[in-house]
PDB file of all heavy atoms in Angstrom:
ATOM      1  N   GLY A 432     -40.018  17.657  58.719  1.00 89.00           N
ATOM      2  CA  GLY A 432     -40.682  16.609  57.956  1.00 89.00           C
ATOM      3  C   GLY A 432     -42.145  16.904  57.688  1.00 89.00           C
ATOM      4  O   GLY A 432     -42.731  16.330  56.761  1.00 89.00           O
ATOM      5  N   GLN A 433     -42.750  17.781  58.498  1.00 93.00           N
ATOM      6  CA  GLN A 433     -44.167  18.117  58.258  1.00 93.00           C
ATOM      7  C   GLN A 433     -44.247  19.139  57.128  1.00 93.00           C
ATOM      8  O   GLN A 433     -43.611  20.188  57.175  1.00 93.00           O
ATOM      9  CB  GLN A 433     -44.820  18.673  59.522  1.00 93.00           C
ATOM     10  CG  GLN A 433     -46.312  18.999  59.330  1.00 93.00           C
ATOM     11  CD  GLN A 433     -46.983  19.519  60.603  1.00 93.00           C
ATOM     12  OE1 GLN A 433     -46.426  19.412  61.688  1.00 93.00           O
ATOM     13  NE2 GLN A 433     -48.165  20.095  60.453  1.00 93.00           N
ATOM     14  N   GLU A 434     -45.061  18.849  56.121  1.00 93.00           N
ATOM     15  CA  GLU A 434     -45.143  19.708  54.948  1.00 93.00           C
ATOM     16  C   GLU A 434     -46.511  20.365  54.778  1.00 93.00           C
ATOM     17  O   GLU A 434     -46.683  21.185  53.895  1.00 93.00           O
ATOM     18  CB  GLU A 434     -44.815  18.906  53.688  1.00 93.00           C
ATOM     19  CG  GLU A 434     -43.388  18.373  53.647  1.00 93.00           C
ATOM     20  CD  GLU A 434     -42.344  19.490  53.664  1.00 93.00           C
ATOM     21  OE1 GLU A 434     -42.642  20.581  53.118  1.00 93.00           O
ATOM     22  OE2 GLU A 434     -41.262  19.287  54.229  1.00 93.00           O
ATOM     23  N   LYS A 435     -47.478  19.986  55.609  1.00 96.00           N
ATOM     24  CA  LYS A 435     -48.832  20.494  55.424  1.00 96.00           C
ATOM     25  C   LYS A 435     -49.375  21.095  56.712  1.00 96.00           C
ATOM     26  O   LYS A 435     -48.929  20.750  57.805  1.00 96.00           O
ATOM     27  CB  LYS A 435     -49.768  19.372  54.959  1.00 96.00           C
ATOM     28  CG  LYS A 435     -49.393  18.757  53.620  1.00 96.00           C
ATOM     29  CD  LYS A 435     -50.396  17.687  53.214  1.00 96.00           C
ATOM     30  CE  LYS A 435     -50.038  17.084  51.863  1.00 96.00           C
ATOM     31  NZ  LYS A 435     -51.034  16.065  51.427  1.00 96.00           N
ATOM     32  N   ILE A 436     -50.332  21.995  56.533  1.00 97.00           N
ATOM     33  CA  ILE A 436     -51.080  22.546  57.672  1.00 97.00           C
ATOM     34  C   ILE A 436     -52.349  21.717  57.799  1.00 97.00           C
ATOM     35  O   ILE A 436     -53.247  21.800  56.958  1.00 97.00           O
ATOM     36  CB  ILE A 436     -51.432  24.036  57.448  1.00 97.00           C
ATOM     37  CG1 ILE A 436     -50.160  24.868  57.260  1.00 97.00           C
ATOM     38  CG2 ILE A 436     -52.262  24.574  58.613  1.00 97.00           C
ATOM     39  CD1 ILE A 436     -50.425  26.321  56.872  1.00 97.00           C
ATOM     40  N   TYR A 437     -52.419  20.890  58.822  1.00 96.00           N
ATOM     41  CA  TYR A 437     -53.538  19.961  58.975  1.00 96.00           C
ATOM     42  C   TYR A 437     -54.684  20.626  59.744  1.00 96.00           C
ATOM     43  O   TYR A 437     -54.453  21.321  60.747  1.00 96.00           O
ATOM     44  CB  TYR A 437     -53.084  18.709  59.718  1.00 96.00           C
ATOM     45  CG  TYR A 437     -52.070  17.888  58.956  1.00 96.00           C
ATOM     46  CD1 TYR A 437     -50.728  17.861  59.340  1.00 96.00           C
ATOM     47  CD2 TYR A 437     -52.453  17.134  57.854  1.00 96.00           C
ATOM     48  CE1 TYR A 437     -49.797  17.112  58.638  1.00 96.00           C
ATOM     49  CE2 TYR A 437     -51.522  16.378  57.142  1.00 96.00           C
ATOM     50  CZ  TYR A 437     -50.198  16.377  57.533  1.00 96.00           C
ATOM     51  OH  TYR A 437     -49.280  15.630  56.835  1.00 96.00           O
ATOM     52  N   PHE A 438     -55.895  20.391  59.264  1.00 95.00           N
ATOM     53  CA  PHE A 438     -57.060  20.910  59.982  1.00 95.00           C
ATOM     54  C   PHE A 438     -58.197  19.901  59.909  1.00 95.00           C
ATOM     55  O   PHE A 438     -58.277  19.095  58.977  1.00 95.00           O
ATOM     56  CB  PHE A 438     -57.510  22.264  59.426  1.00 95.00           C
ATOM     57  CG  PHE A 438     -58.080  22.209  58.028  1.00 95.00           C
ATOM     58  CD1 PHE A 438     -59.447  22.036  57.818  1.00 95.00           C
ATOM     59  CD2 PHE A 438     -57.255  22.336  56.918  1.00 95.00           C
ATOM     60  CE1 PHE A 438     -59.977  21.994  56.531  1.00 95.00           C
ATOM     61  CE2 PHE A 438     -57.772  22.290  55.631  1.00 95.00           C
ATOM     62  CZ  PHE A 438     -59.137  22.116  55.438  1.00 95.00           C
ATOM     63  N   ALA A 439     -59.065  19.963  60.913  1.00 92.00           N
ATOM     64  CA  ALA A 439     -60.221  19.073  60.985  1.00 92.00           C
ATOM     65  C   ALA A 439     -61.464  19.916  61.236  1.00 92.00           C
ATOM     66  O   ALA A 439     -61.570  20.567  62.278  1.00 92.00           O
ATOM     67  CB  ALA A 439     -60.047  18.054  62.106  1.00 92.00           C
ATOM     68  N   PRO A 440     -62.408  19.922  60.289  1.00 90.00           N
ATOM     69  CA  PRO A 440     -63.643  20.691  60.491  1.00 90.00           C
ATOM     70  C   PRO A 440     -64.700  19.861  61.223  1.00 90.00           C
ATOM     71  O   PRO A 440     -64.841  18.662  60.982  1.00 90.00           O
ATOM     72  CB  PRO A 440     -64.086  20.999  59.063  1.00 90.00           C
ATOM     73  CG  PRO A 440     -63.566  19.854  58.254  1.00 90.00           C
ATOM     74  CD  PRO A 440     -62.322  19.375  58.927  1.00 90.00           C
ATOM     75  N   GLY A 441     -65.435  20.512  62.116  1.00 87.00           N
ATOM     76  CA  GLY A 441     -66.499  19.823  62.846  1.00 87.00           C
ATOM     77  C   GLY A 441     -67.226  20.776  63.766  1.00 87.00           C
ATOM     78  O   GLY A 441     -66.957  21.982  63.776  1.00 87.00           O
ATOM     79  N   GLU A 442     -68.109  20.239  64.551  1.00 84.00           N
ATOM     80  CA  GLU A 442     -68.943  21.087  65.409  1.00 84.00           C
ATOM     81  C   GLU A 442     -68.388  21.240  66.817  1.00 84.00           C
ATOM     82  O   GLU A 442     -68.738  22.178  67.523  1.00 84.00           O
ATOM     83  CB  GLU A 442     -70.366  20.508  65.480  1.00 84.00           C
ATOM     84  CG  GLU A 442     -71.078  20.471  64.129  1.00 84.00           C
ATOM     85  CD  GLU A 442     -72.449  19.842  64.222  1.00 84.00           C
ATOM     86  OE1 GLU A 442     -72.914  19.597  65.347  1.00 84.00           O
ATOM     87  OE2 GLU A 442     -73.066  19.596  63.163  1.00 84.00           O
ATOM     88  N   ASN A 443     -67.530  20.298  67.231  1.00 87.00           N
ATOM     89  CA  ASN A 443     -67.095  20.288  68.626  1.00 87.00           C
ATOM     90  C   ASN A 443     -65.633  19.858  68.692  1.00 87.00           C
ATOM     91  O   ASN A 443     -65.262  18.800  68.178  1.00 87.00           O
ATOM     92  CB  ASN A 443     -67.989  19.321  69.419  1.00 87.00           C
ATOM     93  CG  ASN A 443     -67.642  19.283  70.889  1.00 87.00           C
ATOM     94  OD1 ASN A 443     -66.583  18.786  71.268  1.00 87.00           O
ATOM     95  ND2 ASN A 443     -68.545  19.799  71.713  1.00 87.00           N
ATOM     96  N   LYS A 444     -64.810  20.690  69.315  1.00 90.00           N
ATOM     97  CA  LYS A 444     -63.370  20.389  69.310  1.00 90.00           C
ATOM     98  C   LYS A 444     -63.034  19.141  70.116  1.00 90.00           C
ATOM     99  O   LYS A 444     -62.057  18.436  69.823  1.00 90.00           O
ATOM    100  CB  LYS A 444     -62.573  21.593  69.812  1.00 90.00           C
ATOM    101  CG  LYS A 444     -62.757  21.992  71.247  1.00 90.00           C
ATOM    102  CD  LYS A 444     -61.810  23.147  71.590  1.00 90.00           C
ATOM    103  CE  LYS A 444     -61.858  23.528  73.067  1.00 90.00           C
ATOM    104  NZ  LYS A 444     -63.142  24.155  73.429  1.00 90.00           N
ATOM    105  N   ASP A 445     -63.818  18.813  71.150  1.00 91.00           N
ATOM    106  CA  ASP A 445     -63.557  17.590  71.922  1.00 91.00           C
ATOM    107  C   ASP A 445     -63.800  16.345  71.078  1.00 91.00           C
ATOM    108  O   ASP A 445     -63.060  15.364  71.169  1.00 91.00           O
ATOM    109  CB  ASP A 445     -64.442  17.562  73.170  1.00 91.00           C
ATOM    110  CG  ASP A 445     -64.073  18.670  74.160  1.00 91.00           C
ATOM    111  OD1 ASP A 445     -62.880  19.035  74.196  1.00 91.00           O
ATOM    112  OD2 ASP A 445     -64.959  19.166  74.870  1.00 91.00           O
ATOM    113  N   ARG A 446     -64.847  16.381  70.256  1.00 88.00           N
ATOM    114  CA  ARG A 446     -65.113  15.247  69.365  1.00 88.00           C
ATOM    115  C   ARG A 446     -64.061  15.163  68.264  1.00 88.00           C
ATOM    116  O   ARG A 446     -63.609  14.082  67.888  1.00 88.00           O
ATOM    117  CB  ARG A 446     -66.500  15.381  68.745  1.00 88.00           C
ATOM    118  CG  ARG A 446     -67.635  15.220  69.741  1.00 88.00           C
ATOM    119  CD  ARG A 446     -68.971  15.316  69.013  1.00 88.00           C
ATOM    120  NE  ARG A 446     -70.091  15.307  69.947  1.00 88.00           N
ATOM    121  CZ  ARG A 446     -71.358  15.423  69.585  1.00 88.00           C
ATOM    122  NH1 ARG A 446     -71.664  15.555  68.303  1.00 88.00           N
ATOM    123  NH2 ARG A 446     -72.313  15.401  70.487  1.00 88.00           N
ATOM    124  N   LEU A 447     -63.698  16.315  67.739  1.00 90.00           N
ATOM    125  CA  LEU A 447     -62.687  16.318  66.680  1.00 90.00           C
ATOM    126  C   LEU A 447     -61.368  15.737  67.172  1.00 90.00           C
ATOM    127  O   LEU A 447     -60.652  15.067  66.423  1.00 90.00           O
ATOM    128  CB  LEU A 447     -62.466  17.743  66.165  1.00 90.00           C
ATOM    129  CG  LEU A 447     -63.592  18.356  65.328  1.00 90.00           C
ATOM    130  CD1 LEU A 447     -63.302  19.818  65.033  1.00 90.00           C
ATOM    131  CD2 LEU A 447     -63.776  17.585  64.025  1.00 90.00           C
ATOM    132  N   ALA A 448     -61.044  16.002  68.427  1.00 91.00           N
ATOM    133  CA  ALA A 448     -59.779  15.517  68.990  1.00 91.00           C
ATOM    134  C   ALA A 448     -59.710  13.997  69.015  1.00 91.00           C
ATOM    135  O   ALA A 448     -58.614  13.411  69.075  1.00 91.00           O
ATOM    136  CB  ALA A 448     -59.594  16.078  70.392  1.00 91.00           C
ATOM    137  N   LYS A 449     -60.868  13.340  68.946  1.00 88.00           N
ATOM    138  CA  LYS A 449     -60.906  11.881  69.011  1.00 88.00           C
ATOM    139  C   LYS A 449     -60.945  11.223  67.631  1.00 88.00           C
ATOM    140  O   LYS A 449     -60.990   9.999  67.536  1.00 88.00           O
ATOM    141  CB  LYS A 449     -62.127  11.445  69.823  1.00 88.00           C
ATOM    142  CG  LYS A 449     -62.067  11.891  71.280  1.00 88.00           C
ATOM    143  CD  LYS A 449     -63.341  11.541  72.024  1.00 88.00           C
ATOM    144  CE  LYS A 449     -63.287  12.062  73.459  1.00 88.00           C
ATOM    145  NZ  LYS A 449     -64.547  11.793  74.202  1.00 88.00           N
ATOM    146  N   LEU A 450     -60.920  12.027  66.585  1.00 88.00           N
ATOM    147  CA  LEU A 450     -60.911  11.453  65.246  1.00 88.00           C
ATOM    148  C   LEU A 450     -59.669  10.590  65.054  1.00 88.00           C
ATOM    149  O   LEU A 450     -58.564  10.963  65.494  1.00 88.00           O
ATOM    150  CB  LEU A 450     -60.928  12.557  64.182  1.00 88.00           C
ATOM    151  CG  LEU A 450     -62.242  13.327  63.983  1.00 88.00           C
ATOM    152  CD1 LEU A 450     -62.028  14.462  62.992  1.00 88.00           C
ATOM    153  CD2 LEU A 450     -63.350  12.406  63.496  1.00 88.00           C
ATOM    154  N   PRO A 451     -59.798   9.455  64.378  1.00 88.00           N
ATOM    155  CA  PRO A 451     -58.625   8.587  64.184  1.00 88.00           C
ATOM    156  C   PRO A 451     -57.492   9.273  63.435  1.00 88.00           C
ATOM    157  O   PRO A 451     -56.313   9.039  63.721  1.00 88.00           O
ATOM    158  CB  PRO A 451     -59.194   7.406  63.389  1.00 88.00           C
ATOM    159  CG  PRO A 451     -60.504   7.874  62.831  1.00 88.00           C
ATOM    160  CD  PRO A 451     -61.023   8.859  63.807  1.00 88.00           C
TER     161      PRO A 451
END
Side-chain angles (χ1 to χ4, degrees):
Q433 182 178 346
E434 296 298 328
K435 298 182 179 182
I436 301 173
Y437 295 107
F438 68 91
E442 298 178 9
N443 182 291
K444 66 176 185 291
D445 293 329
R446 292 182 186 178
L447 289 173
K449 296 175 183 177
L450 287 174

